[in-house]
C-alpha cells in the first residue's frame, strides 16, 4: 500500500505550471510564483497564510478535495458545486483568510458503527469549503513538521504506509523482542487538549493567522440533529487536517520512546512497543501510561492495553504466528469483520443475476481486502474463506430455484444424472446443508465461479505477492 500523493502532486504541478487547469476558479492576476511542486516551505514563517492561499497550492487542494469527494457538511454543498462557488466568492474568502477574520462552520456529526458491535464512532464532516481550506493548510504545514517526525511514525505521512509499520513490527519480533506493549488510547480524537496541541503547533508555526484559524477549527463545534454544541476538547475525525494534528501531538510520545531507546511502531493513535521480556513490558506500560496522562492529558484504556505475545495481539489488522521467525497473518478479528460484511452483502444477492452480483458487490470488497492483507504469509484462513464464500454462493443458487422441478432442472443442466438430481432436489434439507453437499459441489465447482469472475482470496494473494515481491517493503517471503 504505497502512498501515491507525490506522484499525484507532480501530475497536478505540471498541469498548473502549463496553465491548463480546467475551469480554474483562481484569478490569473495576483498569482504568486510559488509552484505546487515546491515541497519546502518559505523561510519566512510569518507569511505562511500567503502560501496557503497561493494559487498553485489552492489548485492542488481543490483537486484533492474533488478526488476524495465525500459527503456534504451542514450547508449541503457538494464537491461538484465547489468550483462554481469559488468562482463567485474566492476573492472575498481570500481576503478573510489573509486578514484573519475567516470563521469555519460547525462540523456535521455522523455516527458509524465500530467493528465487532463495540458501539459507534462519531465523525465530524466539515463543509467542502472548510475541507478545501484545511487541505490547503495541510499541504503547507506537512513539510514543515514531517521532517522532524520519528522514523517509527507511519500514519498519514508521505511515502509511508500501514504495510511498512506491520513489516517493521515483524522485524522487531524476529530480532528477539518477543513481547509487545499494546497501548490503546481511549477516545483519542475526542480527548485532545486544545492548549497542549496548539503549544506544539506554535513551536514551528509563527504566523498568528494560521494558529488562530487552526484553533477556530478545533473549536468550531458540532451540529447534530439541528443542535450545535461547542468543542472544548478533541479534534473531529473527518477533516484533512486531523491526521496531521494527531501526529503533531503524539510526536512527543515518539520522542520520549526514542529517548528511552525503545523499539516501537506508531500509526496514528495505534502504538506498539516491542521488548524482550514481560517484566520489561509491564514497566514500560506503566511508565508510558503515566507520561501520556501527565504530559499530554490523554487517557490510556487499561482494559484494552496489555503486555502479551505478538501472536495474541493485533496491529493494524495483522497478527503473527508463534514461529521462531514469525509469519504475518490477518488477525482473527479481521476475518470475523470480513465475514460479517460479506453476510450483509449476501443478503442483497437474493433474486439477482449471480454474475452481476459477484462483479458489482463481492469482487470490490474481496479485491480491497486482498490488497490490504497482501503481506499475509499463511494460506489456511484464505482457503477456508474462499470455500465459505463459494458455499454462500451455492446457497444463493439453491434459494433462487425455489421448487423441486426447478432445482432438479438446474442440477441436470450442470451435468448430474436425472436420478441423482431428483434425489438431491427432494432431500428436504435446508439451503445451507445443500450448499455444502456433494451434489452442489459437483454441479458448481470452483471453476464455475472462476468463469463468473469471482475473486479467490488465495489466488489474489499469490498474484499480488508475485507482482510486489520486490516492492518498497522488501522481498515478501510467500508461504502458500
Amino acid at each position: 500500500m504505497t502512498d501515491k500523493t507525490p506522484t499525484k502532486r507532480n501530475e497536478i504541478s505540471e498541469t498548473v505550471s502549463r496553465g491548463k487547469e480546467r475551469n480554474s476558479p483562481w484569478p490569473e492576476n495576483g498569482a504568486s510564483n510559488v509552484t505546487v511542486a515546491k515541497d519546502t516551505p518559505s523561510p519566512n514563517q510569518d507569511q505562511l497564510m500567503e502560501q496557503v492561499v497561493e494559487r498553485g497550492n489552492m489548485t492542488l487542494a481543490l483537486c484533492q478535495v474533488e478526488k476524495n469527494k465525500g459527503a456534504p457538511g451542514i450547508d449541503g454543498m457538494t464537491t461538484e458545486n465547489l468550483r462554481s462557488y469559488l468562482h463567485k466568492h474566492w476573492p472575498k474568502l481570500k481576503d478573510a483568510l489573509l486578514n484573519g477574520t475567516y470563521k469555519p462552520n460547525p462540523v456535521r456529526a455522523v455516527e458509524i458503527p465500530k467493528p465487532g458491535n463495540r458501539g459507534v464512532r462519531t465523525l465530524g464532516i466539515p463543509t467542502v469549503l472548510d475541507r478545501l481550506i484545511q487541505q490547503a493548510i495541510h499541504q503547507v504545514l506537512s513539510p514543515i513538521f514531517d521532517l522532524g517526525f520519528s522514523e517509527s511514525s507511519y500514519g498519514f505521512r508521505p511515502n509511508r504506509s500501514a504495510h511498512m509499520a506491520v513489516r517493521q513490527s515483524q522485524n522487531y519480533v524476529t530480532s528477539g523482542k518477543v513481547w509487545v506493549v499494546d497501548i490503546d488510547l481511549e477516545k483519542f480524537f475526542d480527548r485532545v487538549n486544545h492548549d497542549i496541541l496548539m503549544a506544539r503547533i506554535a513551536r514551528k508555526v509563527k504566523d498568528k493567522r494560521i494558529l488562530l484559524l487552526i484553533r477556530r477549527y478545533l473549536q468550531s463545534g458540532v451540529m447534530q440533529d439541528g443542535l450545535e454544541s461547542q468543542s472544548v476538547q478533541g479534534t473531529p475525525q473527518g477533516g484533512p487536517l486531523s491526521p496531521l494534528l494527531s501526529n503533531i501531538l503524539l510526536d512527543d510520545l515518539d520522542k520520549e520512546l526514542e529517548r528511552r531507546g525503545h523499539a516501537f511502531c506508531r500509526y496514528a493513535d495505534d502504538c506498539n512497543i516491542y521488548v524482550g521480556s514481560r517484566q520489561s513490558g509491564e514497566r514500560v506500560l506503566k511508565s508510558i501510561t503515566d507520561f501520556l496522562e501527565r504530559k499530554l492529558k490523554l487517557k490510556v484504556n487499561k482494559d484494552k492495553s496489555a503486555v502479551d505475545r505478538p501472536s495474541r495481539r493485533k496491529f493494524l489488522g495483522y497478527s503473527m504466528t508463534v514461529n521462531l521467525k514469525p509469519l504475518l497473518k490477518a488477525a482473527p478479528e479481521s476475518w470475523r469483520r470480513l465475514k460479517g460484511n460479506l453476510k450483509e452483502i449476501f443478503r442483497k444477492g437474493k433474486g439477482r443475476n449471480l454474475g452481476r452480483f459477484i462483479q458489482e458487490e463481492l469482487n470490490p470488497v474481496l479485491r480491497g481486502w486482498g490488497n490490504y492483507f497482501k503481506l499475509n504469509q499463511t494460506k489456511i484462513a484464505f482457503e477456508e474463506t474462499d470455500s465459505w464464500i463459494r458455499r454462500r454462493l451455492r446457497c444463493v443458487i439453491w434459494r433462487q430455484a425455489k421448487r423441486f422441478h426447478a432445482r432438479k432442472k438446474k442440477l441436470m443442466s450442470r451435468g448430474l444424472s436425472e436420478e441423482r438430481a431428483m434425489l438431491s432436489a427432494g432431500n428436504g434439507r435446508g439451503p445451507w446443508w445443500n450448499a455444502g453437499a456433494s451434489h452442489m459441489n459437483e454441479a458448481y465447482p470452483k471453476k464455475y465461479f472462476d468463469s463468473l469472475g469471482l475473486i479467490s482470496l488465495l489466488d489474489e494473494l499469490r498474484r499480488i505477492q508475485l507482482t510486489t515481491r520486490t516492492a518498497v517493503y522488501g522481498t515478501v517471503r510467500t508461504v502458500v
Side-chain angles (χ1 to χ4, degrees), residues 115-135:
N117 297 318
R118 294 187 291 114
V120 295
R121 176 184 288 111
T122 301
L123 292 183
I125 309 298
T127 63
V128 291
L129 180 60
D130 283 323
R131 293 211 293 270
L132 171 70
I133 296 170
Q134 285 192 34
Q135 179 65 33

Side-chain angles (χ1 to χ4, degrees), residues 2-18:
T2 345
D3 190 328
K4 298 184 180 179
T5 302
T7 304
K8 181 67 178 176
R9 189 182 184 93
N10 292 337
E11 291 175 0
I12 298 173
S13 172
E14 292 175 6
T15 303
V16 174
S17 63
R18 295 174 188 149

Side-chain angles (χ1 to χ4, degrees), residues 80 90 101 104 106 111 119 133 142 191 204 217 249 262 294 296 328 366 371 373 380-381 385 392 413 439 447 457 472:
E80 289 79 10
W90 172 244
T101 58
E111 293 183 344
I133 296 170
S142 182
R191 295 184 181 275
K204 294 188 177 182
Y217 273 119
L249 181 65
H262 288 311
R294 176 177 48 82
L296 300 181
L328 292 173
L366 297 176
N371 269 298
F373 287 99
I380 296 175
T385 304
R392 278 277 177 179
S413 70
H439 55 270
K447 63 181 181 181
L457 286 174
V472 67

Side-chain angles (χ1 to χ4, degrees), residues 155-185:
F156 310 110
R157 297 180 60 193
N159 301 314
R160 287 175 173 267
S161 68
H163 284 171
M164 296 173 72
V166 170
R167 177 62 70 193
Q168 183 58 55
S169 70
Q170 183 189 30
N171 292 338
Y172 285 141
V173 178
T174 303
S175 70
K177 299 183 182 299
V178 293
W179 290 89
V180 60
V181 182
D182 187 354
I183 296 177
D184 184 273
L185 294 175

Side-chain angles (χ1 to χ4, degrees), residues 241-344:
L241 204 52
S242 293
L244 176 62
L245 297 182
S246 68
N247 275 336
I248 291 173
L249 181 65
L250 291 175
D251 187 55
D252 274 24
L253 170 63
D254 298 340
K255 295 298 188 290
E256 179 67 14
L257 293 172
E258 288 177 340
R259 187 183 67 80
R260 300 183 187 189
H262 288 311
F264 69 99
C265 294
R266 184 180 65 79
Y267 192 96
D269 58 331
D270 287 335
C271 183
N272 277 8
I273 307 166
Y274 297 88
V275 295
S277 67
R278 176 182 283 277
Q279 290 79 6
S280 298
E282 296 289 354
R283 288 195 301 270
V284 170
L285 178 59
K286 184 177 183 303
S287 61
I288 292 301
T289 298
D290 179 68
F291 172 83
L292 287 167
E293 295 182 348
R294 176 177 48 82
K295 189 76 177 290
L296 300 181
K297 307 301 181 187
L298 297 172
K299 187 175 181 181
V300 174
N301 189 325
K302 295 179 181 178
D303 294 331
K304 296 181 181 179
S305 300
V307 178
D308 209 338
R309 296 288 190 180
S311 59
R312 293 197 287 265
R313 305 296 294 181
K314 69 179 178 71
F315 180 51
L316 302 177
Y318 280 87
S319 186
M320 301 184 197
T321 63
V322 295
N323 303 44
L324 188 61
K325 292 185 177 180
L327 305 177
L328 292 173
K329 64 176 185 177
E333 295 91 334
S334 301
W335 288 110
R336 286 196 291 271
R337 190 183 311 172
L338 172 65
K339 286 190 173 183
N341 292 339
L342 291 177
K343 284 179 182 178
E344 291 296 323

